Amino acid sequence: MSKYRIFKITAVIAAAFTLIFTMAGCSTTLKLNGESEVIVNVGQTYEDEGTNVDKAQVSGEVDTSKEGDYTVKYTYKEQEVERIVHVVNPDNLVVGLRGSEKTIVKQGDPYIESGAFGIDKNSGVLDDFEISGQVDTETPGEYGIIYTFKSGYIKKEIVRQVEVVAKDEFKANTDGIPVMMYHYVYTESDKPEKLNSNYISDKKLEEQLKYLKNEGYYFPSFRELRAYADGKISLPQKSVILTFDDGQKGFLNYGVSLLNKYKVPATSFLIGIKDGESKIKTYASPYVAFESHSYNMHRAGGNIGHGGVISALSKEQIVEDLKQQIDMVESDNAFAYPYGDVTEDAKEAVAEAEIQCAFTTAYGKVHVGDDYREFSRVRVHGTNSLDSYIAGL
């Protein structure tokens, strides 16, 4: 090869390196450091990660005291990139477990998945979540089930502990499960003019909740209760379910706070047409699951029992109402008959709507073999003593 050809190749290589270095120095591509979308909780400090160019101009502000989507813009020469910062309030997403925080399973019994619930205070009950974890009911021990909820840019997890208890150590309930029926709660500073036995003071309610916690009561889910009645599982000896009818403001204002304080799960049977959606969002609690007291059947117009309109409706009309309320509370776990009135059409409607448990106002506990379409409950009278309450458990 001639010296001229060698020189020419060397010159071309040198020119190429010169071009590369020139491009690197003069045409730097502007890029974000970190992610293009960032989630920050309200009240946290936002620390911007900037770009790969220190001299880039930055515009846009992020106010972490307010929820919202903020845009931070970076400019370098004729280039521009953006970062979106989502400021969210995690308290707007409330998640809770159905039933006790720790599920107790007798060795060899099937594990009943009770589920969980999530409520976005802005949009209402969430209809979807992910479940992970497994339980081996043949092997005594501790297990965990994880429920993951997402709403917008907020994500929360809640864990259910599951304890499989050896057969010879499991103390089973043989007397029936009391489902306690409460109605209204009041406090002395907000006392109704006319009190009746449906009202219970917050002091008495607190006394009862404290007793249940101190005595180690178990709070089954409705799906566990159904499986118990169907003879599929055993439940712990000290088991009880708490229900509050009508979604009364006193219960929502004073009762819910006590359930939160003692971490006792309970059910609020809501009437959909009576501000049902608003109550769900306003009074969301990890210890209160909202279920159906019908959408618009809690009114007079019937000719049996207490005169509830349900006895004047066809099966198809009842099914339509039940499904409307199921859509609102996002649950088919339980239904409380308005006024406690039950008809054959109503029981068939409950089955068609695939509701797990339906409750009357007839006094009594739930026993193995009972018809899930008309379970009894134990009425709680606000005038009764703690000893009387304990006698009903």
Side-chain angles (χ1 to χ4, degrees):
M1 182 180 293
S2 67
K3 292 182 179 180
Y4 174 75
R5 189 178 297 276
I6 293 173
F7 172 78
K8 186 175 181 180
I9 293 173
T10 303
V12 169
I13 294 173
F17 274 106
T18 300
L19 178 61
I20 291 171
F21 284 118
T22 300
M23 290 176 65
C26 300
S27 302
T28 300
T29 300
L30 182 63
K31 297 180 181 179
L32 292 173
N33 291 333
E35 301 295 327
S36 59
E37 289 193 64
V38 177
I39 300 172
V40 181
N41 290 340
V42 167
Q44 287 186 337
T45 301
Y46 168 66
E47 297 182 1
D48 193 87
E49 294 186 78
T51 68
N52 62 326
V53 178
D54 293 337
K55 295 181 179 180
Q57 298 293 317
V58 183
S59 61
E61 296 183 355
V62 177
D63 183 358
T64 60
S65 68
K66 298 178 182 179
E67 294 177 73
D69 299 330
Y70 300 87
T71 301
V72 181
K73 187 181 296 184
Y74 311 86
T75 305
Y76 176 66
K77 295 185 179 179
E78 296 182 354
Q79 301 179 71
E80 187 176 277
V81 293
E82 293 181 346
R83 191 193 317 276
I84 307 298
V85 181
H86 306 286
V87 179
V88 301
N89 184 354
D91 291 340
N92 282 339
L93 177 56
V94 177
V95 298
L97 298 171
R98 298 187 185 278
S100 282
E101 291 179 316
K102 175 185 278 190
T103 295
I104 306 298
V105 183
K106 179 182 177 181
Q107 182 185 12
D109 280 0
Y111 167 66
I112 304 301
E113 177 48 63
S114 298
F117 62 89
I119 301 173
D120 187 311
K121 291 182 179 180
N122 295 314
S123 60
V125 186
L126 304 182
D127 61 358
D128 192 28
F129 56 91
E130 296 179 359
I131 306 179
S132 60
Q134 293 183 339
V135 178
D136 177 7
T137 63
E138 295 298 332
T139 306
E142 300 280 346
Y143 301 86
I145 303 295
I146 302 172
Y147 306 87
T148 304
F149 290 85
K150 294 180 182 178
S151 182
Y153 297 101
I154 306 174
K155 177 180 177 181
K156 279 190 176 180
E157 291 184 346
I158 188 168
V159 180
R160 179 191 303 281
Q161 293 179 318
V162 180
E163 182 180 1
V164 177
V165 179
K167 291 181 180 180
D168 57 354
E169 296 178 6
F170 188 92
K171 295 180 180 180
N173 178 287
T174 57
D175 299 326
I177 308 300
V179 179
M180 312 305 283
M181 180 177 63
Y182 294 83
H183 280 83
Y184 314 139
V185 182
Y186 72 92
T187 190
E188 282 299 320
S189 61
D190 187 15
K191 193 174 182 178
E193 292 182 6
K194 295 182 179 180
L195 286 175
N196 57 46
S197 61
N198 280 337
Y199 285 90
I200 185 171
S201 71
D202 55 350
K203 290 183 179 179
K204 281 197 171 183
L205 177 58
E206 181 166 19
E207 190 177 37
Q208 294 168 3
L209 296 179
K210 188 181 294 185
Y211 173 82
L212 295 176
K213 289 294 286 189
N214 289 342
E215 292 297 313
Y217 269 79
Y218 181 71
F219 305 97
S221 69
F222 291 119
R223 290 187 178 270
E224 287 177 286
L225 182 68
R226 171 68 179 276
Y228 167 87
D230 289 347
K232 296 179 180 179
I233 65 169
S234 296
L235 285 174
Q237 186 176 45
K238 290 184 176 180
S239 292
V240 65
I241 294 176
L242 307 187
T243 65
F244 293 79
D245 286 10
D246 301 343
Q248 183 248 2
K249 287 293 183 72
F251 160 67
L252 296 171
N253 285 321
Y254 312 120
V256 172
S257 61
L258 289 174
L259 294 169
N260 291 340
K261 178 179 178 180
Y262 288 95
K263 298 183 178 181
V264 171
T267 293
S268 173
F269 282 121
L270 277 185
I271 305 164
I273 201 169
K274 295 185 177 180
D275 298 323
E277 290 187 14
S278 176
K279 289 175 180 177
I280 290 171
K281 291 184 281 190
T282 303
Y283 298 98
S285 159
Y287 296 100
V288 178
F290 292 98
E291 298 288 352
S292 172
H293 205 14
S294 84
Y295 182 78
N296 190 23
M297 294 191 293
H298 199 282
R299 52 193 171 91
N303 50 23
I304 67 166
H306 296 91
V309 74
I310 195 169
S311 64
L313 300 178
S314 67
K315 184 190 76 171
E316 290 72 24
Q317 289 173 312
I318 299 171
V319 169
E320 182 180 0
D321 182 284
L322 292 176
K323 288 186 175 180
Q324 187 172 4
Q325 186 66 352
I326 286 172
D327 288 342
M328 176 181 290
V329 298
E330 290 294 347
S331 173
D332 59 5
N333 285 295
F335 165 62
Y337 289 99
Y339 297 2
D341 294 339
V342 185
T343 65
E344 287 303 314
D345 279 343
K347 289 193 289 185
E348 289 181 16
V350 164
E352 188 169 322
E354 298 183 337
I355 292 172
Q356 294 293 308
C357 303
F359 297 93
T360 70
T361 55
Y363 188 91
K365 298 179 181 181
V366 175
H367 297 89
V368 176
D370 284 353
D371 185 346
Y372 76 93
R373 300 173 302 170
E374 50 180 340
F375 282 157
S376 300
R377 286 190 285 176
V378 176
R379 180 183 288 272
V380 178
H381 294 282
T383 53
N384 286 353
S385 66
L386 179 60
D387 288 339
S388 178
Y389 179 81
I390 294 171
L393 293 172

